[in-house]
Amino acid sequence: MGNDRRNRRLVVGDTTWRWSVRHRHHDGADGSCAEVLSLRRDGTSAVLRLVFRAGNGRFVADGWWYSGCVTNGRDLLNLHEPGVVRRFVDMAAADGLFPPDAVRGLEVDAWPLYDRLVADGAQDADSPP
């Protein structure tokens, strides 16, 4: 999948979410890139941007994988997958990360959420069915 800029729809219970994934290039000496997962409750303008910056054992697509892929070198997640986005929505909501409607947007480092998500996934894989 290419750099899909459209807002996609995800329904969780009674709440409809809009989300998109973008690749961002940073200016500066390191020339690092980032994948950005933008999440917004339908009907609001407040956007939570989960930013995955490359560096220190953290890798983003940048031509090596499909757009939207983020990895720690061991676990790879595709931010274009609705199931992955759902897990990030649930985790961000539980952590109270979504900005209030009066705030236009908020950017947060997404790697701590990623670490918890892949740890939960490994734990789920080790659990009996």
Side-chain angles (χ1 to χ4, degrees), residues 19-41:
W19 60 281
S20 65
V21 178
R22 289 182 170 81
H23 184 81
R24 183 189 293 171
H25 293 274
H26 291 281
D27 295 331
D30 67 354
S32 64
C33 295
E35 293 294 318
V36 180
L37 173 60
S38 297
L39 304 166
R40 177 181 59 83
R41 279 187 199 94

Side-chain angles (χ1 to χ4, degrees), residues 78-102:
N78 184 342
L79 301 176
H80 289 289
E81 294 292 329
V84 170
V85 173
R86 166 68 191 268
R87 291 177 72 193
F88 278 113
V89 165
D90 290 347
M91 196 173 287
D95 288 357
L97 294 178
F98 287 100
D101 292 347

Side-chain angles (χ1 to χ4, degrees), residues 7-120:
N7 279 315
R8 298 180 67 185
R9 187 172 170 257
L10 177 72
V11 178
V12 179
D14 293 337
T15 305
T16 299
W17 298 91
R18 299 293 176 166
W19 60 281
S20 65
V21 178
R22 289 182 170 81
H23 184 81
R24 183 189 293 171
H25 293 274
H26 291 281
D27 295 331
D30 67 354
S32 64
C33 295
E35 293 294 318
V36 180
L37 173 60
S38 297
L39 304 166
R40 177 181 59 83
R41 279 187 199 94
D42 205 18
T44 70
S45 60
V47 177
L48 173 64
R49 290 181 188 88
L50 301 179
V51 181
F52 298 85
R53 286 186 180 83
N56 294 333
R58 308 295 192 163
F59 308 96
V60 300
D62 200 24
W64 295 102
W65 302 283
Y66 293 108
S67 166
C69 289
V70 293
T71 182
N72 58 8
R74 211 176 36 256
D75 304 291
L76 186 134
L77 295 177
N78 184 342
L79 301 176
H80 289 289
E81 294 292 329
V84 170
V85 173
R86 166 68 191 268
R87 291 177 72 193
F88 278 113
V89 165
D90 290 347
M91 196 173 287
D95 288 357
L97 294 178
F98 287 100
D101 292 347
V103 176
R104 186 155 176 94
L106 174 68
E107 287 194 4
V108 298
D109 177 9
W111 289 111
L113 294 174
Y114 171 96
D115 291 339
R116 288 179 28 219
L117 193 141
V118 298
D120 288 349

